Amino acid sequence: MRQHRTLFRLFGSLLLVVAAGISSVAAAPAPSERPASPTPTVRSLGDVVPVPASVRPGGSPYTITPFTWIGVVASPGQAKAARAVGSYLAGVLRPSTGYALPVVPDLGLGPGGGIRLRLATGPGDRGLGDEGYRLESGRTGVTITAYRPAGLFHGVQTLRQLLPATVEKSSRQSGPWTVAGGTITDTPRYAYRSAMLDVSRHFFTVGQVKRYIDQLALYKINTLHLHLSDDQGWRIAIDSWPRLATYGGSTQVGGGAGGYYTKAQYRELVAYAASRHLEVVPEIDMPGHTNAALASYAELNCDGVAPPLYTGTQVGFSSLCVPKAVTYDFVDDVVRELAALTPGRYLHVGGDETHATSHEDYVTFMEKAQAVVAKYGKTVVGWHELTGAHPVEGAVAQYWGRDRTSAAVREQVAAAAKSGTRLVLSPADRVYLDMKYDPSTVLGQTWAGYIEVDRAYDWDPATYLAASGVPASAILGVEAPVWTETLSTSDHLETMTFPRLQGVAELGWSPAVTHDWSAFKARLAAQGPRMTALGIDYYRSPLVPWPAE
């Protein structure tokens, strides 16, 4: 009897919360106040980017109403994380729907049905893994089931895309908010699906990086690689070497003011990324790409003379002094402080384009640098030149070669892969998002060639290096880097990132059997209004049949 009274009180409280929420969003605006929009249609259950692994359409659709609630089901140990996903979903939906959408423990009660978020721990759900989910939609509601919170979050991103694009707007829209009926069962192909942001050539603020994180999360990217140091700027405060940030971070390409993240700001970015289920991988590029550090501390130079700050775009001219003991004091201090700020598994040590470092010195330096990374509990990541040294056990090499990269380099990478080095693929002539789309593109570079949307999508990570002997099992995932020599604003960044990023995201998430350019470009076209609603200044590729907006 006491249990029934408790359920009755909870049910009554739920109704009061919903009623209060409905009254708080005020009456529907008069027709003259509502934004004009075409009559909406229910989106196909598979009209999602990345395309889900399994889609079974059927049954009645579900429409979100003023009575809809977001119910959370999780074990006590995971309840906080599940509720956070529910609050995130409510935050996305409330502005555009105008509905209260209370986030409550799911008792299976309440009028109008609801959106259920379930973290399940049964044997039948373990197959969803750390990031998979199952989305079931029918007349009485939508249920998203996952084994881990990240999967629940990815399921929410799919739910967003199944709703009209206007759901992304920050002001009240007219709806209706209908989700097609059926079931999606979805798990990722690769565990590592990444985007890299170069904040060294041009500095991007905390707010700008957060905006980028939100955009990446919509497409199930789970890693943000931050390129924190280069010749043009050092972007993270290091207490033991303070001039790295205050002096080395004081400029950027073209001579602008530059900037750097305080430790508190970096922690804020890491926490924000974690709230969107992205892991931050910080990079301190060395022994080359180090002019900002060399300019900040004369003792890091072999001749003891600090060079001037650099605001150009050439590469390969700088190097730490490998024979000096102080170099390794520097490396130890930087890695120690950065590792303490970074809860993620990885720390990127760069290692590319070291033209000013002899091969012998490079091998010596990378062996010592990798040992320092291990000392502070992180897994080392380096650009693929690392495979020309001696990658430590468990190391990850990031391949940035091109279709025409020499056979010798590919074979070197393959030999390391066969010996256990895992690979993240970032072929420059496929997924470097700072490359121009075509000769008319105003921003960007051309050294790796032009990269239209189809070229960024039309390759298979599993077979890309297979001819050189790289086993498919060595591929940890994919990453789309964006270098910022010519990019200085969020609009610049978004124009070069989107819509190529969606293609890379699909390569990383969706099964290889689903990869088809014709089908992808149709689904990508449907993302146009959504990007517009989000304020993303994307490139309108002529290869994609964008709808009129």
Side-chain angles (χ1 to χ4, degrees):
M1 188 61 151
R2 179 178 300 170
Q3 186 180 35
H4 291 164
R5 285 197 299 268
T6 301
L7 289 173
F8 180 79
R9 285 196 298 270
L10 286 170
F11 178 61
S13 298
L14 173 60
L15 291 180
L16 288 172
V17 169
V18 173
I22 294 167
S23 64
S24 70
V25 297
S32 62
E33 297 172 338
R34 293 180 182 177
S37 60
T39 301
T41 58
V42 179
R43 297 174 64 84
S44 166
L45 202 63
D47 193 7
V48 175
V49 177
V51 66
S54 171
V55 177
R56 290 192 294 109
S60 300
Y62 174 69
T63 299
I64 299 172
T65 73
F67 295 98
T68 295
W69 42 271
I70 298 173
V72 176
V73 181
S75 64
Q78 297 197 100
K80 182 178 179 181
R83 187 173 177 85
V85 177
S87 297
Y88 168 88
L89 174 60
V92 171
L93 300 181
R94 283 171 181 158
S96 54
T97 64
Y99 302 154
L101 299 170
V103 181
V104 298
D106 180 8
L107 301 174
L109 303 173
I115 301 169
R116 297 173 176 87
L117 305 179
R118 296 179 61 248
L119 275 178
T121 58
D125 300 303
R126 291 175 186 166
L128 295 172
D130 290 344
E131 295 190 282
Y133 66 91
R134 183 169 57 253
L135 186 151
E136 299 164 286
S137 176
R139 181 180 57 82
T140 60
V142 173
T143 298
I144 300 174
T145 301
Y147 189 61
R148 291 285 185 261
L152 210 58
F153 184 82
H154 295 321
V156 162
Q157 305 313 313
T158 293
L159 176 60
R160 287 173 67 179
Q161 292 191 35
L162 293 175
L163 291 164
T166 50
V167 80
E168 308 292 353
K169 293 195 173 184
S170 58
S171 60
R172 190 171 181 182
Q173 305 296 309
S174 58
W177 311 108
T178 301
V179 181
T183 300
I184 291 174
T185 304
D186 205 8
T187 55
R189 183 184 187 191
Y190 291 112
Y192 196 103
R193 305 177 309 282
S194 179
M196 189 213 79
L197 177 58
D198 168 20
V199 296
S200 296
R201 272 51 179 269
H202 279 101
F203 181 67
F204 287 80
T205 66
V206 169
Q208 289 175 306
V209 178
K210 284 183 175 181
R211 175 177 170 84
Y212 199 53
I213 288 169
D214 280 331
Q215 294 164 353
L216 299 176
L218 176 58
Y219 298 105
K220 301 182 177 69
I221 296 296
N222 69 353
T223 306
L224 175 64
H225 170 185
L226 282 178
H227 186 77
L228 291 169
S229 72
D230 214 297
D231 292 314
Q232 298 86 352
W234 185 285
R235 307 303 184 200
I236 180 69
I238 300 296
D239 293 340
S240 51
W241 299 75
R243 276 176 56 85
L244 290 172
T246 59
Y247 184 69
S250 65
T251 191
Q252 58 187 8
V253 167
Y260 66 91
Y261 307 118
T262 66
K263 286 190 169 183
Q265 288 173 325
Y266 179 79
R267 289 191 188 97
E268 182 181 350
L269 283 176
V270 168
Y272 192 82
S275 75
R276 272 59 176 161
H277 293 274
L278 277 81
E279 180 177 335
V280 171
V281 177
E283 179 188 355
I284 300 298
D285 206 348
M286 49 191 176
H289 288 274
T290 47
N291 193 83
L294 298 172
S296 301
Y297 288 95
E299 60 266 40
L300 296 177
N301 297 270
C302 285
D303 61 3
V305 178
L309 292 170
Y310 181 68
T311 61
T313 59
Q314 295 301 309
V315 299
F317 61 88
S318 60
S319 179
L320 294 171
C321 188
V322 174
K324 276 191 169 182
V326 69
T327 295
Y328 304 100
D329 294 336
F330 164 80
V331 172
D332 192 282
D333 287 338
V334 169
V335 170
R336 170 177 49 80
E337 293 193 34
L338 190 54
L341 295 171
T342 306
R345 296 161 288 178
Y346 302 105
L347 198 150
H348 203 304
V349 296
D352 62 318
E353 298 176 319
T354 54
H355 309 316
T357 312
S358 70
H359 177 70
E360 293 74 18
D361 278 355
Y362 179 80
V363 171
T364 297
F365 178 86
M366 295 309 288
E367 287 184 351
K368 292 183 177 182
Q370 289 181 94
V372 173
V373 172
K375 174 183 174 182
Y376 292 109
K378 301 300 179 185
T379 296
V380 69
V381 185
W383 298 103
H384 72 246
E385 287 91 334
L386 175 63
T387 62
H390 304 294
V392 297
E393 184 178 355
V396 177
Q398 185 169 355
Y399 180 81
W400 62 277
R402 293 173 270 176
D403 288 358
R404 63 176 183 271
T405 292
S406 71
V409 170
R410 288 174 174 249
E411 289 166 4
Q412 174 183 289
V413 171
K418 291 174 184 176
S419 297
T421 298
R422 295 168 297 169
L423 302 181
V424 171
L425 298 185
S426 300
D429 55 346
R430 297 282 183 173
V431 299
Y432 266 34
L433 302 184
D434 55 304
M435 293 299 114
K436 292 178 180 286
Y437 292 94
D438 60 32
S440 69
T441 306
V442 175
L443 301 168
Q445 304 185 84
T446 59
W447 61 263
Y450 299 111
I451 304 177
E452 247 293 359
V453 180
D454 59 342
R455 183 166 178 79
Y457 177 81
D458 196 16
W459 62 286
D460 183 359
T463 61
Y464 185 73
L465 292 174
S468 300
V470 172
S473 59
I475 308 302
L476 182 62
V478 294
E479 178 178 293
V482 57
W483 303 96
T484 62
E485 285 93 339
T486 69
L487 314 180
S488 59
T489 69
S490 287
D491 277 351
H492 291 168
L493 178 62
E494 291 164 12
T495 297
M496 301 305 285
T497 296
F498 299 101
R500 291 182 290 197
L501 184 280
Q502 286 98 323
V504 180
E506 183 152 305
L507 290 174
W509 179 277
S510 304
V513 69
T514 66
H515 294 171
D516 176 82
W517 166 247
S518 295
F520 172 71
K521 71 179 179 181
R523 284 182 288 104
L524 182 60
Q527 294 294 312
R530 190 167 305 275
M531 289 188 284
T532 296
L534 286 164
I536 297 174
D537 186 18
Y538 68 97
Y539 166 66
R540 274 71 169 174
S541 170
L543 304 182
V544 179
W546 306 107
E549 297 183 31

